[in-house]
Every structure is written in structure tokens, then in C-alpha cells.
Amino acid sequence: MTLRGAARTSSLNVHQWRPDSLLDGFEIRDLPLTAQPLSGESVTPLVGTLVRRCDPALRGGDRAVLHVHGWNDYFFHPHVAEFYEGLGYAFYALDLRRYGRSLREGQFRGYIADLRDYHEEMDAAVAALRSEHPTVVLTGHSTGGLTAALWASERPGRLAGLVLNSPWLDMWGPAGIGSVMRPLLGPLGRRNPTSPLKLPDSEEPIYAMATHADMGGEWDYSLELKSPGSEIVRLGWVRAILNGHARVAQGLDIDCPVLVTTSTKTTFLRRYTAEAKSADIVLDVDRIAAAAWHLGDQVTLSRIEGGMHDLSLSQAAPRQRWFSAVRTWLGAYVPPGERQAPR
């Protein structure tokens, strides 16, 4: 699906489910947002997109999972849906504004000025799930894990559990580096929020080479919606991430059980090697593990040997170890029959 094709869907009735053009057996529904386009963007309204199975038989029961993707990403993981469905959960995913199915031509791809702005589509998505499924578990990957954690902390009573897949809870590198970067980049982010920030790039599209089926990996996804090269990073977005990290460092108050999962190893590469398939090459897993204890009172940490940045895209053995860790944790902390109080 091209971005131009994505833009054409906005002419449809946004309140109706319609077939997903990216994944067979799934359907999508726009979540209209009150947020307005920024100066320099197209005037196309901003939306989030909720994704679910077409088959009603896979959406029955009291329990549901909502998944939130990371930076330069979108939902393309039917095998993850199958895993949760095998545990008795209806599976839903949310493509956030300016990402994936929600991206419209002329928009600043992936941009957000404050991670709290995502609360609007997440509120709408969770409300839609809870209208049919009393028990909701939220999952988030990478930047989506940070976003999900911040949302969960500010929305007590909404979730039965939170599962984080390599969540970006802290900047890579030495402890405290974010506190050094904030006073340097924060003022620039306020004055010129949509200005691009030039960052060093790797010599090859290493992550795509480790994951995409056409480049030596296992997975088929859109290289337009999840590009193999670096996307434009804007100052206001960096400021939003650093502010999110600062809120985690101050301590969140997530009232449901939390599972944080990471690889056991970080390897930062400039050129592709086989190690890209057995380590996190994006984030510092030790910094994530150290920050995990700031999320709430019921936090479990699971480290997956051989896991990649998106643990669900790891090679078969570590992927199964990750599934097993999630299955065991859900069985212990969100057992069948457990319901949330109405909220």
C-alpha cells in the first residue's frame, strides 16, 4: 500500500470497519482525532487506526490485547496476534497518528510534540476494546512501550496488565545522559519543533537486513511504512522523548502488573554482521532494565537470550523464549476469569 493509497481511505466512513489492505484476515477502523495538522503539513485530518481480526470467532471472550508499535513502525505481526489468540485473548493493534495506516500524504511522519498527545487515540482504542472485553492488556514496543507506560500511569484502573517489548525507557549510553541532553535540545525543540535534527547514520540498513525477507531476514513488511533507512527526526520529537524519559526517571505509578522484556545484549553496529540477528542493535538493554523499576510496584523483568530489538521478530528459538515468558507471566498475573472493575 502506498502513502497515496493510505490517504484515499480518509474519504470512507471513518466509523465503519473495512478490510485491511495490508494484512489478509484483518480489518481497520479510523479513530478521528481533535488534534489539528501542523503548519507546513497537509490539511488532511489526523487519525489513529485500530486493527483487528475480521473473524468474529477470534474476537470472543472477556479478554483482549491492544498493541502499540514503535518509531518508524506499524502493525504487521499476525504471528503475534495468533499467539495471544491461542491464550484466549482477542487481539487488536493501534497505528498511531502519522504512522502506518494512519499516515497521510503531506504529514510529518512519526512526529509528536508531547507523548501525552497520543492519549487521545489510546483512550479511544481502549474504550472501544472495553466495550466488548472487560479485561484489557496493553502491549507496547520500543517508543510505543514508553508511550504505553506513560499512558498506563495516567489512566489507573483501565488495564489488567502491561507487557513491554524492549521499551525505550531511557536514552542509550551512560546513566544520566538524558539529563545532559535535555537542556541542550529542549530549548531548540520549543523554538523550532519541526526542524530536522541531523543524526549519524549507519553505513547499511542493518535492522532491515536482519529482519526483512527481501534482505536476508524472515519478515515481510512495507518498506515504505517501515523504511530501511533513517527517517527524519525532528527537534520537537526528540524533546518529547527526553521529557518522557524524565517522567520515567522520576517514577511512574502504574497500578497494574508490568512485564518488561529485553534482549540480554546490546550491540551497536555500523555495518551488518550476523550479530544483528541475536542482539538489540537499537537500544541499550541495560539502561532499559535499570529504568524498569521506576514504572510501578509490580514489575517483572525478563531477559531473552538471543533476542532482537523487536523480540517478536527474533529468530525462532529466542522468539519462542519470549512467547514463553509472556505466556507464563500472563498466567500468573492476569489469570483467566480475572476482570477489571468498571471505569
Side-chain angles (χ1 to χ4, degrees):
M1 183 178 80
T2 65
L3 299 186
R4 188 174 300 276
R8 282 198 294 268
T9 65
S10 64
S11 63
L12 299 174
N13 186 333
V14 297
H15 300 293
Q16 298 296 321
W17 291 95
R18 60 185 184 274
D20 182 16
S21 61
L22 296 178
L23 288 176
D24 291 339
F26 288 82
E27 58 188 6
I28 63 174
R29 172 186 154 194
D30 287 352
L31 301 174
L33 304 176
T34 60
Q36 298 300 308
L38 299 170
S39 175
E41 283 191 299
S42 70
V43 296
T44 308
L46 296 173
V47 299
T49 307
L50 195 58
V51 186
R52 72 178 186 184
R53 289 285 196 180
C54 296
D55 186 352
L58 296 175
R59 303 198 308 266
D62 288 344
R63 298 186 293 168
V65 162
L66 176 66
H67 173 71
V68 181
H69 60 82
W71 164 254
N72 186 30
D73 211 349
Y74 72 104
F75 173 66
F76 61 90
H77 307 63
H79 67 292
V80 176
E82 292 169 3
F83 164 72
Y84 283 106
E85 289 159 358
L87 300 180
Y89 288 84
F91 183 87
Y92 297 75
L94 175 64
D95 280 7
L96 299 166
R97 67 187 73 182
R98 299 188 180 99
Y99 282 105
R101 299 162 180 83
S102 302
L103 180 63
R104 303 296 187 256
E105 192 170 13
Q107 293 180 347
F108 294 149
R109 180 175 178 147
Y111 181 78
I112 202 76
D114 187 331
L115 294 177
R116 286 189 177 95
D117 292 345
Y118 288 134
H119 285 9
E120 185 175 7
E121 55 257 55
M122 293 184 68
D123 285 345
V126 172
L129 266 65
R130 293 195 66 187
S131 69
E132 299 184 33
H133 312 281
T135 298
V136 173
V137 171
L138 179 63
T139 79
H141 167 58
S142 197
T143 309
L146 173 62
T147 301
L150 296 172
W151 182 91
S153 184
E154 296 191 18
R155 296 293 190 270
R158 306 286 181 90
L159 300 174
L162 176 64
V163 176
L164 301 179
N165 170 358
S166 303
W168 194 10
L169 301 179
D170 197 2
M171 193 58 67
W172 52 82
I177 191 171
S179 62
V180 175
M181 296 177 65
R182 276 196 306 280
L184 296 176
L185 295 177
L188 291 174
R190 283 192 297 272
R191 289 196 301 268
N192 305 294
T194 60
S195 295
L197 176 65
K198 180 62 176 176
L199 297 174
D201 199 3
S202 60
E203 298 176 17
E204 298 175 314
I206 299 171
Y207 194 74
M209 294 170 71
T211 56
H212 198 278
D214 292 343
M215 303 176 75
E218 183 178 350
W219 308 100
D220 183 20
Y221 55 82
S222 168
L223 292 174
E224 186 171 10
L225 298 179
K226 182 177 174 65
S227 63
S230 294
E231 279 300 311
I232 295 175
V233 173
R234 302 179 188 273
L235 286 169
W237 179 85
V238 175
R239 179 172 177 265
I241 297 299
L242 291 174
N243 287 342
H245 290 165
R247 288 159 61 195
V248 171
Q250 292 166 2
L252 301 185
D253 191 24
I254 299 174
D255 67 343
C256 67
V258 182
L259 173 65
V260 176
T261 59
T262 74
S263 177
T264 58
K265 181 180 179 181
T266 289
T267 301
F268 294 125
L269 302 172
R270 294 289 293 172
R271 297 187 63 84
Y272 179 82
T273 71
E275 199 171 14
K277 290 187 176 183
S278 60
D280 191 324
I281 63 171
V282 178
L283 297 182
D284 187 328
V285 296
D286 291 332
R287 297 303 315 140
I288 294 172
W293 311 116
H294 298 294
L295 298 179
D297 294 333
Q298 300 181 70
V299 177
T300 303
L301 176 64
S302 180
R303 307 289 291 267
I304 307 300
E305 181 72 33
M308 298 179 65
H309 175 54
D310 185 342
L311 293 160
S312 74
L313 303 184
S314 299
Q315 297 182 91
R319 183 166 73 244
Q320 291 306 313
R321 285 196 287 272
W322 180 70
F323 281 146
S324 179
V326 175
R327 181 187 302 112
T328 299
W329 182 86
L330 286 170
Y333 287 96
V334 194
E338 181 173 306
R339 292 190 177 204
Q340 299 155 249
R343 183 80 179 219

